[in-house]
Amino acid sequence: MTNTTQLRVYRHLLREINHQFTPVTKNKAWSIQLRQQWLEASRNPGSNSTDFKAAQNVLTYMANNRQYKELLAEFNPKMSEGDRIEKTARRVGLEAPKSYDD
């Protein structure tokens, strides 16, 4: 692990945190916590490999979770209950019965 690799992971984590959490809550606590942990890890080189692997795993999870949410919003738009039932029925080759309306 080189310092540039670790710095790259730190920067990507900071971007993901700022992209996913900061706009929603207007709270910079996540980025401040990450910065504090990064500084502590740089002072204590003994646990760097374990912390670095954990940081990579968190980064992978956050990036994939963001991509999942984007895909879900794009391909599964909000629709009414009736439309959802009709589309589900058509997907399996059935036709939904007509509902009774007053």
Side-chain angles (χ1 to χ4, degrees), residues 14-80:
L14 200 56
R15 277 189 214 121
E16 285 295 328
I17 286 172
N18 287 333
H19 182 73
Q20 291 187 32
F21 299 123
T22 305
V24 175
T25 62
K26 307 279 191 256
N27 187 353
K28 295 216 176 240
W30 288 97
S31 57
I32 292 169
Q33 180 68 25
L34 176 65
R35 187 172 294 123
Q36 288 174 350
Q37 287 184 347
W38 177 262
L39 291 173
E40 285 179 24
S42 65
R43 291 182 195 131
N44 183 10
S47 64
N48 262 353
S49 64
T50 308
D51 291 342
F52 182 70
K53 288 178 185 176
Q56 283 181 319
N57 287 338
V58 168
L59 176 61
T60 302
Y61 172 75
M62 289 179 69
N64 289 334
N65 192 27
R66 178 179 46 82
Q67 185 179 20
Y68 169 76
K69 288 177 184 177
E70 289 171 357
L71 289 171
L72 192 63
E74 182 178 345
F75 292 109
N76 194 11
K78 302 276 185 200
M79 59 181 86
S80 69

